């Protein structure tokens, strides 16, 4: 029997799926562990696929003072991966050779050597660590729709779009660029953009500069002052070499701060792609630096549907747990700085919050692997 | 006379008369749209490129113009800039033409010139070295098949979303009229142990916890009073107990979790951050701490904010 959710996604029950066409994956990144199972509908013709199962397990992967992951973190992560592997194997009956474990490009193999060893001994599979370029490709595929329609006409979407993900320790961007070398084959290049500033490490920097006892005002002033060197300068460097980031007309934003912004400003808009404006970013920033507590407590009474209100309350709770007021200010400053450097305000630009893009990496990885895999 | 010439030249220089026009998308695209096709390829007619291209792809194709990169991956510094036009045809084929206009750093340089073009058809990319090859490539798809091509990654359809009803797509909306949402992760079909352990739902924010301890976690702001756990517990009027995450139980995760709390003048928890304990238990403890309510703490009769720590013990019972 197919189950359904109230948002309209059709979810396949385990018994409904053809096991040979199922592919499962587990992703580990600095914000936690995600798992997904997809069903490939037609691999010969290019891997059209349905998402069967997704789960996200937030666990802060903390490092010790030497920058290494603590034993506790490694053990927890290894056990969680094993749990997900068991669910994917037993509940969805995905063949073992079609289950993959990937590591975000935020890590390198030496970072998680011990975890990789534990995972291998637990489930018999290693962790494939992605390069920044591979990750860019997967993010583009998983987040940006291929095409869009205006009136009766379809337009290519990816050639005019960029995805920007504001994470906890990095901010990443990606876009697809057609290239044709003077000698050699043409190709779609997936350009990866990265600055080493995310919400958590920017919060730390501001704390260092403003002093540990800084109140909201002083913290916000320092955030603004530091945005030049920690966000705008590295971003300008990237923009010079990767101008697509600035010129693309459609911007797909994701990351915890964007999710928080949309939950706090537009909690009732449940669309998978929610349009937002520069005004939203400005209002969010203004409220974060002047009245963060009020911002964190939006009035939900205007949401008429009980079901949606409950869903929003859960999201709001998650935002409150995840963000201190200082995290919120730091994140709002990053968002505003990126918007100004990348000229979001330019006429004709459209900005979207990609609600499900947190699963884009693992889902599109599975899709690509499914296309390569021998068919049953 | 010579003084006049020198002064005029100086004024012209100063006013930017001899400077290269700045590269703006509007200017670059307008230049490429206006250029005669015959200037891009001598064998083609003397018509504005935009008109010629539109006629070629047909009125039903979705045509988009933009400023784009036309150099190679990783070009350092000043890469070449192109006006790019791409068209998505009703049959799914795609045509792209790059017209060189200058460089991103130096601005618009010289007249627009043909850089390269391609047709994407049935998962293959057909490069066209001359603009005159584009009409044939589009008119006769079969002819292209005899040409050199590059097979794209076998990824035609991407992830599909399957709305329950015909109207589901409309109800969900999407960003603009007919935006096709990619990869829609569903909610879990059943509540699994891992789901129960998850501190947030699939769509909830991943925790952007600081990598190191932040000031907010270590010392109170000036107007805040630090109070011991014993005192603060004594003032509690509502004590919520944490929910033991199922997956944490399965993984035998136990022990105490310390949650740093900031309590408002009214006695409500404003901030709750788990600062130590098993990673699987942190969220559950912080969740519970947020629900605690306290009697207001007063300093010289004036209510003040209070910072303290609450410890929650998770014990496995048989």
């Amino acid at each position: 029997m197919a189950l359904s959710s109230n948002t309209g996604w059709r979810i396949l029950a385990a018994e409904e799926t053809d096991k040979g066409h199922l592919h499962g994956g587990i992703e580990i990144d600095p914000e936690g562990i995600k798992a997904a199972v997809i069903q490939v509908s037609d691999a010969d013709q290019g891997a059209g696929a349905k998402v069967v199962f997704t789960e996200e397990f937030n666990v802060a992967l903390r490092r010790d003072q030497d920058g290494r992951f603590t034993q506790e973190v490694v053990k927890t992560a290894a056990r969680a991966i094993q749990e997900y592997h068991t669910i994917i194997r037993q509940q969805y009956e995905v063949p073992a050779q079609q289950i993959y474990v990937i590591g975000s490009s935020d890590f390198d193999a030496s970072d998680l050597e011990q975890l990789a060893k534990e995972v291998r001994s637990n489930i018999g599979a290693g962790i494939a660590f992605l390069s920044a370029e591979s990750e860019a490709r997967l993010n583009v595929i998983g987040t940006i729709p291929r095409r869009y329609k205006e009136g009766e006409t379809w337009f290519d979407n990816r050639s005019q779009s960029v995805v920007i993900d504001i994470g906890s320790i990095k901010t990443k961007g990606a876009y697809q660029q057609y290239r044709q070398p003077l000698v050699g084959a043409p190709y779609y290049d997936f350009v990866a953009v990265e600055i080493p500033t995310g919400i958590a490490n920017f919060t730390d920097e501001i704390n260092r500069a403003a002093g540990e006892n800084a109140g909201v005002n002083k913290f916000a002033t320092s955030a603004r002052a530091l945005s030049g060197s920690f966000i705008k300068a590295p971003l300008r460097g990237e923009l010079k070499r990767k101008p697509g980031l600035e010129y693309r007309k459609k911007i797909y934003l994701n990351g915890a701060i964007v999710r928080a912004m949309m939950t706090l400003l537009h909690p009732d808009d449940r669309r998978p792609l929610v349009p937002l404006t520069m005004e939203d970013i400005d209002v969010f920033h203004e409220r974060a630096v002047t009245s963060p507590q009020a911002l964190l407590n939006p009035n939900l009474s205007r949401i008429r549907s009980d079901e949606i209100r409950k869903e929003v309350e859960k999201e709001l709770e998650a935002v409150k747990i995840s963000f201190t007021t200082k995290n919120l200010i730091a994140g709002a400053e990053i968002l505003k700085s990126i918007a100004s450097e990348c000229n979001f305000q330019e006429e004709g630009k459209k900005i979207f919050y990609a609600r499900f893009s947190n699963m884009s990496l693992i889902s599109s990885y599975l899709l690509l692997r499914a296309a390569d895999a021998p068919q049953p | 006379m010579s003084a006049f010439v020198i002064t005029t030249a100086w004024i012209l220089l100063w006013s930017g008369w001899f400077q290269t026009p700045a590269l703006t998308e509007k200017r670059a695209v307008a230049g490429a749209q206006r250029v005669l096709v015959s200037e891009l390829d001598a064998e083609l007619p003397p018509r504005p490129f935009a008109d010629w291209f539109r006629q070629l792809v047909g009125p039903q194709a979705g045509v988009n113009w933009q400023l784009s990169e036309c150099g190679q991956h990783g070009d350092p510094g000043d890469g070449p800039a192109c006006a790019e036009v791409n068209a998505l045809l009703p049959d799914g084929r795609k045509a792209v033409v790059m017209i060189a206009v200058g460089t991103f750093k130096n601005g618009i340089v010289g007249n627009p010139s043909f850089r390269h073009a391609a047709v994407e058809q049935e998962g293959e990319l057909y490069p066209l070295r001359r603009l005159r090859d584009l009409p044939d490539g589009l008119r006769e798809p079969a002819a292209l098949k005899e040409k050199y091509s590059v097979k794209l990654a076998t990824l035609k359809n991407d992830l599909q979303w399957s709305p329950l009803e015909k109207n589901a797509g409309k109800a969900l909306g999407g960003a603009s009229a007919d935006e096709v949402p990619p990869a829609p992760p569903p909610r879990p079909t059943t509540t699994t142990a891992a789901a129960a352990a998850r501190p947030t739902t699939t769509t909830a924010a991943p925790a952007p916890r600081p990598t190191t301890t932040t000031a907010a976690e270590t010392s109170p702001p000036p107007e805040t009073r630090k109070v011991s756990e014993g005192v603060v517990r004594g003032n509690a009027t509502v004590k919520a107990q944490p929910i033991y995450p199922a997956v944490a139980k399965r993984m035998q995760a136990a022990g105490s979790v310390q949650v740093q709390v900031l309590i408002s003048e009214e006695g409500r928890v404003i901030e709750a951050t788990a600062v130590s304990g098993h990673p699987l238990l942190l969220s559950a403890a912080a969740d519970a701490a947020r629900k605690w309510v306290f009697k207001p703490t007063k300093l010289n009769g004036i209510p003040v904010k209070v910072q303290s720590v609450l410890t929650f013990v998770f014990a496995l019972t048989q």
Side-chain angles (χ1 to χ4, degrees):
Chain A
M1 187 186 76
L3 301 177
S4 64
S5 72
N6 57 11
T7 52
W9 304 128
R10 182 170 183 273
I11 302 163
L12 301 175
E15 66 270 19
E16 196 183 1
T17 53
D18 175 346
K19 313 304 176 201
H21 286 110
L22 288 174
H23 294 259
I26 301 162
E27 175 197 334
I28 175 163
D29 68 29
E31 269 120 32
I33 294 161
K34 296 161 187 171
V37 174
I38 64 165
Q39 183 188 21
V40 178
S41 55
D42 190 354
D44 289 341
Q45 292 303 310
K50 288 192 177 93
V51 179
V52 177
F53 159 80
T54 62
E55 278 275 345
E56 186 175 346
F57 171 54
N58 297 328
V59 54
L61 295 182
R62 288 186 291 192
R63 296 170 192 253
D64 61 20
Q65 288 183 333
D66 301 329
R68 293 174 182 277
F69 289 102
T70 59
Q71 281 287 332
E72 192 186 26
V73 158
V74 168
K75 280 205 160 56
T76 305
R79 289 293 301 274
I81 290 171
Q82 193 177 359
E83 286 289 318
Y84 276 135
H85 191 266
T86 307
I87 290 169
I88 294 170
R89 278 288 284 135
Q90 292 179 358
Q91 197 170 328
Y92 290 92
E93 297 176 35
V94 179
Q97 71 276 15
Q98 286 169 205
I99 303 176
Y100 312 94
V101 185
I102 60 170
S104 149
S105 70
D106 289 334
F107 305 121
D108 58 46
S110 60
D111 257 351
L112 292 175
E113 197 178 344
Q114 199 191 338
L115 176 63
K117 272 183 195 166
E118 287 216 22
V119 168
R120 184 173 284 285
S121 77
N122 288 351
I123 65 173
I127 301 177
F129 287 94
L130 301 173
S131 66
E133 286 70 27
S134 306
E135 204 169 292
R137 181 181 187 201
L138 297 174
N139 268 330
V140 167
I141 292 168
T143 305
I144 303 174
R146 273 191 319 134
R147 55 183 195 158
Y148 68 98
K149 200 177 183 186
E150 275 181 14
E152 290 304 307
T153 309
W154 286 97
F155 291 80
D156 181 64
N157 194 44
R158 286 194 185 142
S159 61
Q160 48 176 311
S161 303
V162 60
V163 56
I164 298 175
D165 179 4
I166 302 170
S168 59
I169 55 167
K170 284 179 185 174
T171 296
K172 297 178 190 175
Y175 60 93
Q176 175 185 295
Q177 176 66 57
Y178 172 74
R179 298 198 197 274
Q180 192 167 313
L182 289 172
V183 178
Y187 61 103
Y188 282 119
D189 184 15
F190 292 89
V191 182
V193 181
E194 184 178 301
I195 62 168
T197 306
I199 298 165
N201 52 8
F202 192 44
T203 304
D204 287 348
E205 290 299 339
I206 304 165
N207 269 326
R208 265 192 278 279
E212 294 190 344
N213 292 332
V216 166
N217 284 344
K218 191 172 179 193
F219 187 87
T221 308
S222 292
R224 201 163 308 138
L226 291 179
S227 66
S229 49
F230 283 92
I231 308 163
K232 293 178 181 174
L235 196 53
R236 275 178 211 146
E238 284 290 75
L239 284 169
K240 269 186 197 164
R241 286 177 291 123
K242 299 153 186 176
L245 187 62
E246 182 182 349
Y247 290 107
R248 294 298 169 98
K249 293 289 180 301
K250 297 176 89 175
I251 302 131
Y252 292 82
L253 290 177
N254 63 51
I257 191 66
V258 187
R259 203 168 307 152
M261 176 173 73
M262 299 314 280
T263 303
L264 298 171
L265 296 187
H266 302 293
D268 48 343
D269 195 332
R270 313 305 299 164
R271 289 178 287 179
L273 291 169
V274 186
L276 63 114
T277 62
M278 259 311 281
E279 196 187 341
D280 287 323
I281 294 171
D282 287 340
V283 166
F284 179 65
H285 179 269
E286 180 63 19
R287 293 184 61 191
V289 300
T290 54
S291 50
Q293 281 307 320
L295 177 63
L296 282 168
N297 292 287
N299 178 8
L300 303 184
S301 61
R302 66 191 160 114
I303 303 175
R304 290 186 181 168
S305 157
D306 286 345
E307 215 160 350
I308 291 178
R309 195 182 315 108
K310 276 180 194 159
E311 205 172 300
V312 172
E313 279 168 357
K314 268 189 190 170
E315 281 186 11
L316 195 56
E317 195 62 23
V319 170
K320 286 178 179 176
I321 290 168
S322 306
F323 286 87
T324 63
T325 51
K326 290 183 174 182
N327 288 150
L328 202 63
I329 294 169
E333 194 63 49
I334 295 176
L335 194 53
K336 187 165 177 163
S337 301
I338 291 171
S340 88
E341 287 304 309
C342 297
N343 287 325
F344 283 9
Q345 75 285 353
E346 213 170 77
E347 199 187 333
K349 282 199 174 176
K350 289 181 177 174
I351 315 165
F352 303 99
Y353 159 50
R355 185 181 296 283
F356 299 113
S357 58
N358 54 331
M359 280 290 166
S360 65
L361 210 62
I362 185 66
S363 307
S364 36
Y365 182 83
L366 289 180
L367 198 58
L368 289 167
R369 292 307 302 254
D372 293 340
Q375 299 311 305
Chain B
M1 178 65 183
S2 61
F4 172 76
V5 171
I6 290 166
T7 309
T8 308
W10 186 84
I11 290 169
L12 287 174
L13 268 173
W14 184 78
S15 64
W17 183 264
F18 295 120
Q19 284 176 11
T20 312
L23 183 71
T24 63
E25 181 170 70
K26 213 170 180 180
R27 199 176 277 169
V29 167
Q33 288 176 331
R34 275 196 310 262
V35 70
L36 298 179
V37 191
S38 52
E39 289 177 26
L40 300 173
D41 187 323
E43 289 196 11
L44 292 170
R47 290 181 57 193
F49 174 65
D51 297 346
W52 177 83
F53 185 78
R54 170 50 87 180
Q55 190 181 25
L56 196 61
V57 296
Q60 289 177 318
V63 175
N64 173 54
W65 288 84
Q66 66 183 1
L67 186 61
S68 190
E69 298 161 46
C70 46
Q72 298 316 304
H73 177 92
D75 268 348
D78 193 20
C82 276
E84 172 188 332
V85 58
N86 62 62
L88 186 61
L89 278 64
D91 61 6
R93 286 181 300 154
K94 204 172 110 181
V96 57
V97 179
M98 295 281 200
I99 307 291
V101 293
T103 72
F104 282 97
K105 188 176 166 192
N106 289 331
I108 292 176
V109 181
N111 294 322
S113 60
F114 173 73
R115 178 97 179 183
H116 51 244
V119 173
E120 188 185 322
Q121 176 182 300
E122 293 172 1
E124 304 217 12
L125 205 48
Y126 297 87
L128 304 168
R129 298 283 177 196
R130 301 173 305 183
L131 191 55
R132 75 188 72 153
D133 296 332
L134 186 60
D136 284 346
L138 288 174
R139 268 186 227 115
E140 295 173 52
L144 272 180
K145 290 189 174 170
E146 289 161 20
K147 289 184 182 288
Y148 165 74
S149 74
V150 176
K151 198 166 174 61
L152 293 170
T154 48
L155 192 73
K156 285 174 70 181
N157 302 320
D158 301 353
L159 293 171
Q160 298 295 306
W161 58 302
S162 311
L164 273 178
E165 304 141 1
K166 280 181 185 172
N167 289 336
K170 208 175 275 180
L172 286 164
S176 58
D178 291 284
E179 197 78 46
V180 182
R187 282 90 197 266
T189 51
T190 53
T191 305
T192 61
R198 192 182 49 186
T200 60
T201 63
T202 305
T203 54
R209 291 179 190 284
T211 45
T212 59
T213 309
T214 65
E217 292 164 354
T218 54
S219 91
E223 68 275 17
T224 305
R225 190 176 166 79
K226 205 165 184 177
V227 173
S228 73
E229 181 169 6
V231 172
V232 86
R233 275 185 177 271
N235 281 338
T237 54
V238 175
K239 296 177 180 178
Q241 289 307 308
I243 297 164
Y244 210 132
V247 77
K249 277 187 189 169
R250 283 174 59 188
M251 291 167 65
Q252 306 276 304
S256 59
V257 176
Q258 286 198 310
V259 181
Q260 190 159 287
V261 288
L262 182 64
I263 302 161
S264 73
E265 289 88 338
E266 293 78 31
R268 299 269 169 192
V269 174
I270 307 171
E271 284 180 14
T273 312
V275 291
S276 72
H278 195 288
L280 283 179
L281 304 169
L282 301 181
S283 295
D287 269 346
R290 295 192 63 81
K291 291 172 186 152
W292 282 47
V293 181
F294 303 86
K295 286 183 216 159
T297 301
K298 291 181 181 174
L299 188 65
N300 298 325
I302 301 165
V304 290
K305 282 183 190 162
V306 167
Q307 191 182 73
S308 190
V309 170
L310 292 174
T311 305
F312 296 92
V313 178
F314 292 79
L316 290 163
T317 50
Q318 292 303 315

